[in-house]
Amino acid sequence: MTVTLRSLETAIPPTVLVQDEVRDTFAAQPGLTRLGERLVRTCFNSAAIDTRRTALAELSLNDTSEHPKFYDARSGLLLSPSTKVRNDIFAVEATKLFIEAAAKALDACAGITAADVTHVITVSCTGFFNPGPDYKVVRALGLNASVQRYHLGFMGCYAAFPAMRAAKSFCDADPHAVVLVVSAELCSLHVRTSNDPDAIMGSSLFADGAAAAIITAREDLPASGPAIRLDHFETVLTPVGEEAMAWNIGDEGFEMVLGTYVPHIIDDHIVGALEPLLAHDPTVNGRPYSDIEHWAIHPGGRSILDKVETKLELSEEQLHPARETLRTVGNMSSATVLFVLKRILDLPFNGGNERICSMAFGPGLTVETGLFTRVGGPVQPGSAEQADRAAPLGVPAAV
């Protein structure tokens, strides 16, 4: 039985963060030391990001709300709301993105209607509420009240993989299952001014967005363009790095730990992390990594992508979907690798089956990997890749 990702759609909030403008705002905060200011400029300048999106209209830097919570445009000061204030906004704004992405994925899947969905899996690590996003999606899309609902919370940047793996398991067990997977993250809720290098790094990288997929093994559906066959997943914990990447709850938002040693850990252990995944399939095991057509790498940051490209001897073209995702919309935690897969899905199709090796990293240090196959017909007009080529530098593609 073949389990296939039949549709994959994304959603981003309307407010655009221009990297240089946000950099100058963070660098101008009165509490920064001289070292802190230098770190802000270095992190923002080296992030390989032009634009990001945020659900916080205040962070447009020209919003003149009477009672600002995050940024006071009149004084130029970044504010420090409590975790409760941030989470209350998450409950409202994340719900919008969950529903928008889910509705788009359902609409894009030929032969599938709301009545066909049997399982809903939602993913997020940037906020909590209950009844949760799984409930909100079921109600908003008019899904059956008997739909099985699951929420994967607070896992971090790799969480789309456990979600897809669970969806595959449901479909392997039931050939009629139709699983809706939705990831939405509001990382910008937790940015803050600080002299702490980890907080500065997070402020330079993180953004908001959502992605949703329809996954099923049903064989009675019409062909509707390219799709992704979910072949195999693996999980690896590196022997070091437990303290190098973490996500903690503080009084003024969630606090990221992203040590500068993380790219070196990935450099040392990425080959070993790929071994159990590729050993599963003799058609790719033992071949050069560059022979695998597509690489959907979670762009945790520019230096991580640099390490992956160099260590695995990949081409610039193979890392292009990941780098373009980072450049145009930043790091949206668990949703980001789905944005990368969307770009690969929308590439021109040359016929035959094209392999995809996908990977994301998160707290632990956890390495999640997936081996997929791209199958199907030609790309439709208006794809993310076509938008990248048409858009001037600094203007986000319509992903």
Short mmCIF file of all heavy atoms in Angstrom, two decimals, residues 15-47:
data_model
loop_
_atom_site.label_atom_id
_atom_site.label_comp_id
_atom_site.label_asym_id
_atom_site.label_seq_id
_atom_site.Cartn_x
_atom_site.Cartn_y
_atom_site.Cartn_z
N THR A 15 1.66 40.85 7.68
CA THR A 15 2.68 41.84 8.06
C THR A 15 4.07 41.35 7.69
O THR A 15 4.50 40.27 8.11
CB THR A 15 2.63 42.14 9.56
OG1 THR A 15 1.33 42.66 9.89
CG2 THR A 15 3.68 43.17 9.95
N VAL A 16 4.78 42.16 6.90
CA VAL A 16 6.12 41.81 6.41
C VAL A 16 7.18 42.46 7.29
O VAL A 16 7.10 43.66 7.59
CB VAL A 16 6.31 42.27 4.95
CG1 VAL A 16 7.71 41.93 4.46
CG2 VAL A 16 5.25 41.64 4.05
N LEU A 17 8.15 41.66 7.70
CA LEU A 17 9.32 42.19 8.40
C LEU A 17 10.47 42.26 7.40
O LEU A 17 10.90 41.24 6.87
CB LEU A 17 9.71 41.27 9.56
CG LEU A 17 8.69 41.03 10.67
CD1 LEU A 17 9.25 40.08 11.70
CD2 LEU A 17 8.28 42.35 11.31
N VAL A 18 10.97 43.45 7.15
CA VAL A 18 12.15 43.63 6.31
C VAL A 18 13.36 43.52 7.21
O VAL A 18 13.50 44.26 8.18
CB VAL A 18 12.10 44.98 5.57
CG1 VAL A 18 13.36 45.17 4.74
CG2 VAL A 18 10.86 45.06 4.70
N GLN A 19 14.25 42.59 6.90
CA GLN A 19 15.33 42.25 7.82
C GLN A 19 16.18 43.45 8.24
O GLN A 19 16.48 43.62 9.43
CB GLN A 19 16.22 41.18 7.18
CG GLN A 19 17.31 40.62 8.08
CD GLN A 19 16.80 39.59 9.08
OE1 GLN A 19 15.60 39.49 9.32
NE2 GLN A 19 17.71 38.82 9.65
N ASP A 20 16.55 44.29 7.30
CA ASP A 20 17.41 45.44 7.65
C ASP A 20 16.70 46.41 8.58
O ASP A 20 17.31 46.97 9.50
CB ASP A 20 17.85 46.17 6.38
CG ASP A 20 18.83 45.36 5.55
OD1 ASP A 20 19.29 44.30 6.04
OD2 ASP A 20 19.14 45.76 4.42
N GLU A 21 15.41 46.63 8.37
CA GLU A 21 14.65 47.54 9.23
C GLU A 21 14.52 46.99 10.65
O GLU A 21 14.67 47.72 11.63
CB GLU A 21 13.27 47.80 8.63
CG GLU A 21 13.30 48.53 7.30
CD GLU A 21 11.92 48.68 6.69
OE1 GLU A 21 10.94 48.17 7.31
OE2 GLU A 21 11.80 49.29 5.61
N VAL A 22 14.24 45.71 10.76
CA VAL A 22 14.11 45.10 12.07
C VAL A 22 15.47 45.09 12.79
O VAL A 22 15.56 45.34 13.99
CB VAL A 22 13.54 43.66 11.95
CG1 VAL A 22 13.42 43.01 13.32
CG2 VAL A 22 12.18 43.69 11.27
N ARG A 23 16.52 44.83 12.04
CA ARG A 23 17.88 44.88 12.61
C ARG A 23 18.17 46.22 13.25
O ARG A 23 18.63 46.31 14.39
CB ARG A 23 18.91 44.60 11.51
CG ARG A 23 20.37 44.75 11.93
CD ARG A 23 21.25 44.99 10.72
NE ARG A 23 20.89 46.24 10.05
CZ ARG A 23 21.12 46.51 8.77
NH1 ARG A 23 21.69 45.59 8.00
NH2 ARG A 23 20.78 47.67 8.25
N ASP A 24 17.88 47.29 12.52
CA ASP A 24 18.17 48.62 13.04
C ASP A 24 17.34 48.94 14.28
O ASP A 24 17.82 49.61 15.21
CB ASP A 24 17.92 49.67 11.96
CG ASP A 24 18.90 49.56 10.80
OD1 ASP A 24 19.94 48.89 10.98
OD2 ASP A 24 18.62 50.12 9.73
N THR A 25 16.11 48.45 14.33
CA THR A 25 15.26 48.66 15.50
C THR A 25 15.82 47.94 16.71
O THR A 25 15.92 48.51 17.81
CB THR A 25 13.82 48.18 15.21
OG1 THR A 25 13.29 48.95 14.14
CG2 THR A 25 12.94 48.34 16.45
N PHE A 26 16.19 46.68 16.54
CA PHE A 26 16.75 45.92 17.67
C PHE A 26 18.09 46.50 18.12
O PHE A 26 18.38 46.54 19.32
CB PHE A 26 16.91 44.45 17.28
CG PHE A 26 15.69 43.62 17.54
CD1 PHE A 26 14.61 43.65 16.66
CD2 PHE A 26 15.59 42.82 18.66
CE1 PHE A 26 13.47 42.89 16.89
CE2 PHE A 26 14.46 42.06 18.91
CZ PHE A 26 13.39 42.10 18.03
N ALA A 27 18.90 46.96 17.17
CA ALA A 27 20.22 47.49 17.51
C ALA A 27 20.12 48.83 18.23
O ALA A 27 21.07 49.24 18.91
CB ALA A 27 21.07 47.64 16.25
N ALA A 28 18.99 49.52 18.11
CA ALA A 28 18.83 50.85 18.71
C ALA A 28 18.23 50.82 20.11
O ALA A 28 18.01 51.87 20.72
CB ALA A 28 17.95 51.71 17.80
N GLN A 29 17.96 49.64 20.67
CA GLN A 29 17.31 49.56 21.98
C GLN A 29 18.26 50.04 23.08
O GLN A 29 19.45 49.70 23.07
CB GLN A 29 16.84 48.15 22.24
CG GLN A 29 15.76 47.68 21.28
CD GLN A 29 14.57 48.63 21.22
OE1 GLN A 29 13.91 48.90 22.21
NE2 GLN A 29 14.32 49.16 20.02
N PRO A 30 17.77 50.82 24.02
CA PRO A 30 18.64 51.47 25.00
C PRO A 30 19.34 50.51 25.96
O PRO A 30 20.39 50.85 26.52
CB PRO A 30 17.68 52.40 25.76
CG PRO A 30 16.32 51.84 25.54
CD PRO A 30 16.35 51.23 24.17
N GLY A 31 18.81 49.31 26.18
CA GLY A 31 19.41 48.40 27.14
C GLY A 31 20.57 47.58 26.60
O GLY A 31 21.20 46.83 27.36
N LEU A 32 20.88 47.73 25.33
CA LEU A 32 21.94 46.92 24.74
C LEU A 32 23.32 47.42 25.14
O LEU A 32 23.58 48.63 25.18
CB LEU A 32 21.85 46.92 23.22
CG LEU A 32 20.77 46.06 22.55
CD1 LEU A 32 20.90 46.16 21.05
CD2 LEU A 32 20.84 44.62 23.00
N THR A 33 24.23 46.49 25.41
CA THR A 33 25.63 46.83 25.57
C THR A 33 26.26 47.00 24.19
O THR A 33 25.64 46.69 23.16
CB THR A 33 26.37 45.72 26.32
OG1 THR A 33 26.31 44.52 25.52
CG2 THR A 33 25.72 45.44 27.69
N ARG A 34 27.49 47.48 24.14
CA ARG A 34 28.17 47.61 22.85
C ARG A 34 28.34 46.25 22.20
O ARG A 34 28.19 46.10 20.98
CB ARG A 34 29.53 48.29 23.04
CG ARG A 34 29.43 49.74 23.47
CD ARG A 34 30.80 50.36 23.68
NE ARG A 34 31.56 50.39 22.44
CZ ARG A 34 32.83 50.81 22.35
NH1 ARG A 34 33.45 51.24 23.45
NH2 ARG A 34 33.45 50.81 21.19
N LEU A 35 28.63 45.22 23.02
CA LEU A 35 28.75 43.87 22.47
C LEU A 35 27.40 43.38 21.97
O LEU A 35 27.31 42.77 20.90
CB LEU A 35 29.28 42.91 23.55
CG LEU A 35 29.35 41.42 23.14
CD1 LEU A 35 30.23 41.23 21.92
CD2 LEU A 35 29.84 40.57 24.31
N GLY A 36 26.33 43.67 22.73
CA GLY A 36 25.00 43.26 22.30
C GLY A 36 24.62 43.88 20.98
O GLY A 36 24.04 43.22 20.11
N GLU A 37 24.93 45.17 20.81
CA GLU A 37 24.61 45.83 19.55
C GLU A 37 25.37 45.21 18.39
O GLU A 37 24.82 44.99 17.30
CB GLU A 37 24.95 47.32 19.64
CG GLU A 37 24.61 48.09 18.37
CD GLU A 37 24.96 49.56 18.44
OE1 GLU A 37 25.27 50.04 19.55
OE2 GLU A 37 24.94 50.23 17.38
N ARG A 38 26.65 44.87 18.61
CA ARG A 38 27.43 44.22 17.55
C ARG A 38 26.86 42.85 17.22
O ARG A 38 26.80 42.46 16.04
CB ARG A 38 28.90 44.11 17.98
CG ARG A 38 29.64 45.43 18.01
CD ARG A 38 31.14 45.21 17.94
NE ARG A 38 31.63 44.44 19.09
CZ ARG A 38 32.01 44.96 20.24
NH1 ARG A 38 31.96 46.28 20.42
NH2 ARG A 38 32.46 44.19 21.21
N LEU A 39 26.43 42.12 18.25
CA LEU A 39 25.84 40.81 18.01
C LEU A 39 24.55 40.92 17.21
O LEU A 39 24.28 40.09 16.32
CB LEU A 39 25.57 40.09 19.33
CG LEU A 39 26.77 39.48 20.04
CD1 LEU A 39 26.37 38.97 21.42
CD2 LEU A 39 27.38 38.35 19.22
N VAL A 40 23.73 41.92 17.51
CA VAL A 40 22.50 42.12 16.75
C VAL A 40 22.82 42.32 15.27
O VAL A 40 22.25 41.66 14.39
CB VAL A 40 21.70 43.31 17.30
CG1 VAL A 40 20.59 43.72 16.32
CG2 VAL A 40 21.09 42.97 18.66
N ARG A 41 23.74 43.21 14.99
CA ARG A 41 24.05 43.50 13.59
C ARG A 41 24.66 42.29 12.89
O ARG A 41 24.35 41.99 11.73
CB ARG A 41 24.96 44.72 13.50
CG ARG A 41 24.28 45.99 14.01
CD ARG A 41 25.03 47.25 13.64
NE ARG A 41 24.33 48.43 14.14
CZ ARG A 41 23.27 48.98 13.55
NH1 ARG A 41 22.81 48.47 12.42
NH2 ARG A 41 22.70 50.05 14.08
N THR A 42 25.53 41.58 13.60
CA THR A 42 26.17 40.40 13.00
C THR A 42 25.14 39.31 12.71
O THR A 42 25.12 38.73 11.62
CB THR A 42 27.26 39.86 13.94
OG1 THR A 42 28.27 40.86 14.12
CG2 THR A 42 27.89 38.60 13.36
N CYS A 43 24.29 39.01 13.69
CA CYS A 43 23.30 37.93 13.51
C CYS A 43 22.30 38.25 12.39
O CYS A 43 22.00 37.40 11.55
CB CYS A 43 22.55 37.68 14.82
SG CYS A 43 23.53 36.87 16.09
N PHE A 44 21.79 39.47 12.39
CA PHE A 44 20.81 39.85 11.36
C PHE A 44 21.46 39.88 9.98
O PHE A 44 20.85 39.43 8.99
CB PHE A 44 20.21 41.22 11.69
CG PHE A 44 19.05 41.17 12.65
CD1 PHE A 44 19.26 40.99 14.00
CD2 PHE A 44 17.75 41.30 12.20
CE1 PHE A 44 18.20 40.95 14.90
CE2 PHE A 44 16.67 41.26 13.08
CZ PHE A 44 16.91 41.08 14.44
N ASN A 45 22.68 40.40 9.88
CA ASN A 45 23.33 40.53 8.58
C ASN A 45 23.73 39.18 7.99
O ASN A 45 23.81 39.03 6.77
CB ASN A 45 24.56 41.42 8.70
CG ASN A 45 24.21 42.87 8.93
OD1 ASN A 45 23.08 43.30 8.69
ND2 ASN A 45 25.16 43.65 9.42
N SER A 46 24.02 38.20 8.85
CA SER A 46 24.51 36.92 8.37
C SER A 46 23.41 35.86 8.26
O SER A 46 23.69 34.70 7.93
CB SER A 46 25.62 36.39 9.30
OG SER A 46 25.11 36.18 10.61
N ALA A 47 22.15 36.24 8.52
CA ALA A 47 21.07 35.26 8.57
C ALA A 47 20.61 34.77 7.20
O ALA A 47 19.88 33.78 7.11
CB ALA A 47 19.87 35.86 9.31
#
